[in-house]
Amino acid sequence: GENVEQHPSTLSVQEGDSAVIKCTYSDSASNYFPWYKQELGKRPQLIIDIRSNVGEKKDQRIAVTLNKTAKHFSLHITETQPEDSAVYFCAASGGSNYKLTFGKGTLLTVNP
Amino acid sequence: KAGVTQTPRYLIKTRGQQVTLSCSPISGHRSVSWYQQTPGQGLQFLFEYFSETQRNKGNFPGRFSGRQFSNSRSEMNVSTLELGDSALYLCASSFLTDPNQYFGPGTRLLVL
């Protein structure tokens, strides 16, 4: 089955800096790659996603890139703000299998 | 539309007991997935139901079971509870073949 590795497990940045979280996946059939943000005590919320026919997608300060050949995808957050502090999860699913396989999460701390 | 709801929000049980958790998806969503979230293991997929049929299953023992009703509401049951079953149980719903999943607030289960 699919296996998703996520790095780093923790990331601390200064406000205004950029943050990058990287994930790799194992199943070449995977074609959908969402990113979720989970604030303390709250539910995971989808912040951005990318499908395998696209190499990059941006939404304001957030961008995701996908390298299908290398089977890795990354989340980029620019101009970080304290409210970006949360746990971020990457995930992958694909083909006829709608099951989402998650990475173990990255705790991002943005220091004011 | 109302979001995904889960009941109860908190539960305390003792080892050996069983528990049933409920999830009501967003109106019109027919797929419901269940996840176990623990600090060490992140989000682990339990199973997914679509139109009352289990479509995918994760690597959990048979003590974990689920079902889906004709109105798409879903329940999961854990029998013979163990201490290690203490976790946040999240359900997520999605619309037809759209892989975007929307999470409920979760049920926090504590097994003593």
Side-chain angles (χ1 to χ4, degrees):
Chain A
E2 175 68 276
N3 183 49
V4 176
E5 300 282 342
Q6 183 173 347
H7 299 280
S9 57
T10 61
L11 179 60
S12 181
V13 300
Q14 290 299 121
E15 184 176 359
D17 288 350
S18 295
V20 180
I21 303 170
K22 299 182 178 182
C23 290
T24 60
Y25 62 99
S26 61
D27 188 349
S28 56
S30 290
N31 57 13
Y32 174 66
F33 307 91
W35 287 86
Y36 287 84
K37 175 184 180 182
Q38 187 176 29
E39 296 177 40
L40 187 63
K42 296 189 176 181
R43 71 189 77 187
Q45 292 202 306
L46 179 71
I47 56 170
I48 195 167
D49 57 13
I50 191 167
R51 295 169 198 253
S52 58
N53 58 348
V54 175
E56 183 175 4
K57 184 176 179 181
K58 288 184 179 179
D59 182 3
Q60 299 182 341
R61 298 185 295 107
I62 293 173
V64 58
T65 59
L66 171 65
N67 183 325
K68 283 188 63 180
T69 304
K71 289 191 280 189
H72 66 69
F73 55 113
S74 301
L75 177 71
H76 304 252
I77 306 174
T78 59
E79 300 173 20
T80 54
Q81 301 167 3
E83 51 265 38
D84 294 329
S85 297
V87 178
Y88 291 81
F89 293 96
C90 64
S93 74
S96 60
N97 187 340
Y98 298 100
K99 166 187 168 183
L100 274 178
T101 300
F102 283 85
K104 291 196 184 300
T106 297
L107 173 61
L108 173 64
T109 302
V110 180
N111 302 299
Chain B
K1 283 183 181 178
V4 179
T5 59
Q6 291 186 245
T7 57
R9 295 292 312 277
Y10 304 93
L11 264 180
I12 300 177
K13 292 285 188 179
T14 56
R15 279 182 299 173
Q17 288 186 309
Q18 73 166 13
V19 66
T20 299
L21 314 180
S22 180
C23 172
S24 292
I26 292 171
S27 177
H29 286 194
R30 289 166 61 187
S31 169
V32 174
S33 298
W34 288 89
Y35 297 87
Q36 182 193 65
Q37 185 173 26
T38 57
Q41 296 299 318
L43 280 157
Q44 292 189 288
F45 174 79
L46 282 154
F47 27 66
E48 184 234 352
Y49 286 86
F50 181 82
S51 292
E52 303 179 65
T53 300
Q54 188 179 86
R55 189 161 64 173
N56 287 293
K57 189 177 188 305
N59 298 321
F60 277 79
R63 300 185 297 107
F64 292 81
S65 63
R67 60 177 175 168
Q68 187 179 35
F69 302 95
S70 58
N71 62 358
S72 295
R73 190 177 69 85
S74 178
E75 289 181 347
M76 69 163 279
N77 184 276
V78 187
S79 62
T80 319
L81 284 166
E82 300 177 359
L83 295 179
D85 297 333
S86 294
L88 180 66
Y89 291 88
L90 291 158
C91 77
S93 72
S94 59
F95 179 70
L96 291 176
T97 57
D98 183 353
N100 291 345
Q101 294 195 9
Y102 298 85
F103 282 85
T107 294
R108 188 163 295 281
L109 172 65
L110 177 61
V111 182
L112 301 176

